[in-house]
Amino acid sequence: ELATMERHFRAGVMPVAVYPEIVSGNPLNLPVVARWLLNVPGHLGGENQYDENDLIFYHLAWCLPESLTGQQLYLPSVDTRIFNNDNNPFDTQRSGFCRYAHKFLGFGGKIRPEHAEFQSLGHEIKLTPEEIAATLRRSEALYCYERSAIIQEATACGCPVICVPSAYWNIQPLEVTEPGIEIDTGPEALAKAKAEIGNTAQILRDVQA
């Protein structure tokens, strides 16, 4: 970091500090600060109030509080070399369900009893990305209890996602606009997610390109 700043100063250009929302203040003490909101400010640490001169960028619409104005800077984080539904022999014969509730459990939430037997893909289970993708390529659906990149990883694998609302996750309409993702309102939500899921992996590849 210091070497980069020195190189910029010697080149006569102004270094810019780019911080994710979990960083408080301006630890690099640079005159230009950009905040890239990858989650709701303050949720996982850091502050929820910024200097009026800070440049604000956000990953997805739900990351930007109504009190802030910013520009979207969206780069798909899904590795489509791993998370895809290409040549998947299980796609027409999917069975079983999986769940993800890492932060939800960390904040004191409890899994619904009917989901307890679903395979967990949370951090308490040591799985490689390839192992997670293999599960998603076989599963009927992922029941997700929180905002997470695994939602897009699942749909990239052709696995519908059912988002489970709770006191922890007050799901907003902006979070369920993609085909194959629905809020858990019962069997009709699962049926709709299955019927509408598309080739998310190819969409992400196009955006990445």
Side-chain angles (χ1 to χ4, degrees):
E1 295 171 344
L2 289 176
T4 300
M5 288 188 286
E6 291 174 2
R7 188 173 69 252
H8 286 183
F9 277 124
R10 283 196 296 268
V13 297
M14 182 69 71
V16 177
V18 181
Y19 300 118
E21 83 292 340
I22 59 173
V23 175
S24 297
N26 181 11
L28 294 177
N29 197 30
L30 290 179
V32 181
V33 170
R35 310 281 180 184
W36 191 13
L37 311 184
L38 304 172
N39 203 320
V40 177
H43 181 64
L44 297 176
E47 304 167 343
N48 58 13
Q49 299 291 325
Y50 299 127
D51 188 278
E52 63 180 11
N53 294 317
D54 289 355
L55 305 173
I56 305 296
F57 299 89
Y58 60 93
H59 178 60
L60 292 171
W62 58 263
C63 301
L64 183 70
E66 292 182 0
S67 60
L68 295 178
T69 300
Q71 300 179 62
Q72 187 172 25
L73 178 57
Y74 171 65
L75 301 173
S77 60
V78 175
D79 187 344
T80 53
R81 296 168 300 178
I82 298 172
F83 296 96
N84 62 69
N85 201 32
D86 302 343
N87 304 312
N88 183 3
F90 302 101
D91 194 39
T92 58
Q93 48 183 348
R94 293 174 176 269
S95 64
F97 299 92
C98 49
R99 58 178 167 85
Y100 185 85
H102 179 65
K103 294 188 290 290
F104 173 78
L105 293 173
F107 276 85
K110 295 188 182 300
I111 297 294
R112 291 183 182 178
E114 63 268 29
H115 299 165
E117 298 303 316
F118 295 171
Q119 180 175 349
S120 174
L121 300 180
H123 294 198
E124 78 280 5
I125 310 286
K126 299 301 181 184
L127 296 172
T128 65
E130 289 79 7
E131 289 171 331
I132 293 171
T135 297
L136 294 171
R137 284 165 60 92
R138 294 170 178 261
S139 298
E140 284 188 61
L142 168 72
Y143 281 79
C144 194
Y145 283 74
E146 62 195 63
R147 300 177 177 106
S148 171
I150 201 171
I151 292 173
Q152 273 198 332
E153 290 172 346
T155 57
C157 291
C159 179
V161 177
I162 306 302
C163 301
V164 183
S166 65
Y168 172 75
W169 188 14
N170 179 23
I171 305 171
Q172 302 300 308
L174 287 171
E175 301 179 65
V176 289
T177 58
E178 296 180 19
I181 305 173
E182 295 291 331
I183 297 175
D184 189 12
T185 55
E188 65 278 6
L190 178 59
K192 190 172 187 289
K194 286 182 175 182
E196 294 184 354
I197 193 161
N199 192 343
T200 299
Q202 188 55 50
I203 293 171
L204 293 174
R205 290 176 184 133
D206 292 342
V207 174
Q208 288 163 345

